[in-house]
Amino acid sequence: MLTIPALPYPFTCPPARTALIVIDMQRDFLEPGGFGEALGNDVTQLRPSVAPTRALLDGFRARGLPVIHTKEVHRPDLSDCPPSKRNRGGGPLRIGDPGPMGRILVAGEPGSDIIPELAPLAGEIVIEKPGKGAFYATPLADVLAGLGTSHLVFAGVTTEVCVQTTMREANDRGFECLLVEDATDSYFPDFKAATLAMIRAQGGIVGWTAPSAAVLAALGACQSAIGSSRVA
């Protein structure tokens, strides 16, 4: 078992049933010229989460643990993007409009790609989702059932929207969830802080939070224990 120092109390999970989910680390959200900037956001606010997320990817990959990436994208004909979503916001670009990185949040366009630093490896699962939550209108629940997953570790952006929505969906489906504090960011730091507080309030009503260093240390200790038992 992994035991991770976390809030509101330690998060314990069986490695074989634990997966890392990296939410929406896409060019459209993190790079200049994408949808995030078109909405008037400072995209540099999301950059601090990139290195910790990469460290988590490396840690899970090194131990052969499942890694799942998500991307918020829509079909080219926008048939899965309701007008209420496309028409909301006051920016110069809307979903489906042509931008510096192709059509905004459309599958297959350059802006929909995950940033190079966090690009999925061959064989890693990528879930394309039309909504904020990764369970809505996607095969994620079936994928997790097939993996035998019971515990989820989350990274990604933005903390208060797609990350929190997916955590709440997962919580309602019976998964135990931990959000890695420095591997997630928001365009609004106050929103991130509030979300972390909400997740772990009332004894972990949605789940747990912990820094990446605590998660990686627990992974390292678990790997050492496995290695020692094999030698013995």
Side-chain angles (χ1 to χ4, degrees), residues 65-172:
L65 301 178
V67 171
I68 298 170
H69 307 261
T70 76
K71 301 197 298 183
E72 183 177 350
V73 294
H74 295 279
R75 299 175 187 139
D77 64 2
L78 303 184
S79 59
D80 58 352
C81 181
S84 60
K85 179 179 182 180
R86 185 170 190 270
N87 295 332
R88 194 172 303 150
L93 296 176
R94 300 182 186 277
I95 295 171
D97 288 347
M101 294 183 286
R103 296 178 65 202
I104 297 289
L105 293 189
V106 168
E109 298 288 336
S112 74
D113 289 341
I114 293 169
I115 61 172
E117 302 97 308
L118 306 177
L121 298 182
E124 289 182 346
I125 297 164
V126 179
I127 299 289
E128 294 190 346
K129 61 187 185 67
K132 306 305 182 189
F135 287 88
Y136 169 69
T138 78
L140 180 58
D142 291 337
V143 167
L144 294 174
L147 292 170
T149 302
S150 58
H151 291 64
L152 301 173
V153 175
F154 282 92
V157 299
T158 62
T159 313
E160 77 278 8
V161 184
C162 295
V163 176
Q164 180 179 207
T165 301
T166 303
M167 281 193 72
R168 289 179 179 274
E169 289 179 329
N171 180 64
D172 285 345

Side-chain angles (χ1 to χ4, degrees), residues 33-58:
F35 189 47
E37 187 173 76
L39 292 172
N41 298 306
D42 175 7
V43 295
T44 65
Q45 293 286 345
L46 304 187
R47 295 301 303 184
S49 62
V50 173
T53 300
R54 178 54 193 261
L56 289 170
L57 284 170
D58 291 344

Side-chain angles (χ1 to χ4, degrees), residues 223 225-232:
Q223 183 74 0
I226 292 171
S228 298
S229 64
R230 286 174 178 168
V231 171

